[in-house]
Amino acid sequence: MLKPALRERVAAPPKSWQDIANGEWLRCQVEQIVASHIERLYGYHFATVGRLTAQLQLPHSAIKHCFSLAGEASNNVQVCAESIHLPFAEASLDAVLLAGELEFAKDPHQILREVNHSLIADGKLIYVGFNPLAWHQIQQLWPANVNQYPWCGRSFTRSRVLDWLALLNFEVSEAQYFAPGFLQQRWQWPERLASKVHNWVPQLASCYVIVARKREYPLTLLPERAQRKRVQPNLQTVPLANQTQIKEL
């Protein structure tokens, strides 16, 4: 049975990628996988939510107004606010990028609801999460790593996040695993082994990325309206003068 996503006590989110095991390598992997999706974005307002997201070096997108939001002010943050209370009007953002934000949140559902509220119709959400089935989860067996990042947080499987997005009427266009490895720098042979196995078992990679589009459906579905018109044809009356009658001889 799955544990509820809502929690009373959570670990404080990491302040930078350097706080995560092999964080610099992981940050480069995230930047490479996200760059191709950001280049295809369009609109007027693009928000990157979270401390880790604000520190990503992202390419220039077609969206002119790009800004970062986090709970604490820094050089890379333009808006200081919590991700569970986004200070944006309804349907005001064209795209949102999240990286490792649900793993250290008390209510991950609330973050997705806020994003759904802020996105316009057909707006895009790009989410990068830590895979709980990855190779590096083996390091949790060492007591010294229990309180280290990213193992002190709670990771959610890709399928579970997809279910949450489906409930919010998001249409997923792409979902893939990336960055295979053990998140350690002392030995290189485990990293090479994980890279080779990734071709056959990608579900053991360190992270996954989900690209989804917000969908809004009308109250009256167009297929039903067209079907109703076919069932009830528009009958027209024929004038009496044009009607043919059979005369008796």
Side-chain angles (χ1 to χ4, degrees):
M1 184 176 180
L2 295 177
K3 296 181 180 179
L6 181 63
R7 294 173 295 171
E8 295 296 333
R9 297 181 180 180
V10 293
K15 296 183 179 180
S16 64
W17 289 94
Q18 288 76 14
D19 297 337
I20 303 176
N22 206 3
E24 285 299 322
W25 172 82
L26 191 60
R27 180 179 61 84
C28 295
Q29 297 293 317
V30 174
E31 291 175 352
Q32 293 178 7
I33 200 68
V34 170
S36 60
H37 302 292
I38 292 180
E39 292 176 352
R40 296 194 295 265
L41 296 178
Y42 59 90
Y44 299 96
H45 306 287
F46 174 38
T48 59
V49 179
R51 299 179 182 178
L52 298 179
T53 315
Q55 299 176 11
L56 296 176
Q57 300 295 329
L58 303 177
H60 296 287
S61 64
I63 300 180
K64 297 181 179 180
H65 185 208
C66 301
F67 60 94
S68 300
L69 180 146
E72 295 182 359
S74 64
N75 297 331
N76 300 323
V77 176
Q78 287 77 37
V79 179
C80 187
E82 296 294 336
S83 56
I84 58 175
H85 301 292
L86 296 181
F88 306 122
E90 183 179 1
S92 58
L93 300 178
D94 297 277
V96 174
L97 172 63
L98 295 171
E101 191 68 14
L102 301 183
E103 286 77 1
F104 303 95
K106 292 184 178 180
D107 191 357
H109 296 164
Q110 180 61 25
I111 296 179
L112 296 180
R113 285 193 293 265
E114 288 290 320
V115 172
N116 179 65
H117 178 269
S118 302
L119 281 176
I120 64 172
D122 291 337
K124 274 194 174 182
L125 167 64
I126 304 176
Y127 176 71
V128 177
F130 293 100
N131 184 18
L133 307 177
W135 293 98
H136 63 77
Q137 295 294 337
I138 301 177
Q139 299 196 42
Q140 286 186 340
L141 301 177
W142 280 264
N145 295 334
V146 175
N147 297 324
Q148 303 295 325
Y149 296 106
W151 304 289
C152 61
R154 182 185 177 186
S155 302
F156 300 98
T157 61
R158 187 188 68 171
S159 59
R160 191 170 185 180
V161 178
L162 291 177
D163 289 339
W164 295 345
L165 295 177
L167 293 176
L168 295 174
N169 290 331
F170 276 90
E171 180 184 357
V172 177
S173 59
E174 187 171 349
Q176 62 177 355
Y177 295 94
F178 68 97
F182 288 86
L183 299 186
Q184 56 83 32
Q185 298 176 330
R186 289 177 296 178
W187 303 300
Q188 296 298 325
W189 66 266
E191 304 297 326
R192 292 193 295 267
L193 175 63
S195 299
K196 294 181 180 179
V197 178
H198 179 71
N199 298 327
W200 293 277
V201 190
Q203 293 81 4
L204 299 179
S206 301
C207 300
Y208 58 86
V209 60
I210 297 176
V211 182
R213 186 186 301 272
K214 178 183 175 181
R215 291 301 191 188
E216 290 186 357
Y217 301 97
L219 296 179
T220 302
L221 299 179
L222 296 179
E224 294 183 0
R225 182 182 301 176
Q227 183 179 3
R228 185 166 58 253
K229 287 184 178 180
R230 289 193 299 268
V231 174
Q232 300 177 357
N234 187 13
L235 300 178
Q236 297 181 356
T237 59
V238 180
L240 183 61
N242 296 335
Q243 294 181 2
T244 59
Q245 297 180 358
I246 301 176
K247 296 182 179 180
E248 297 180 0
L249 297 177

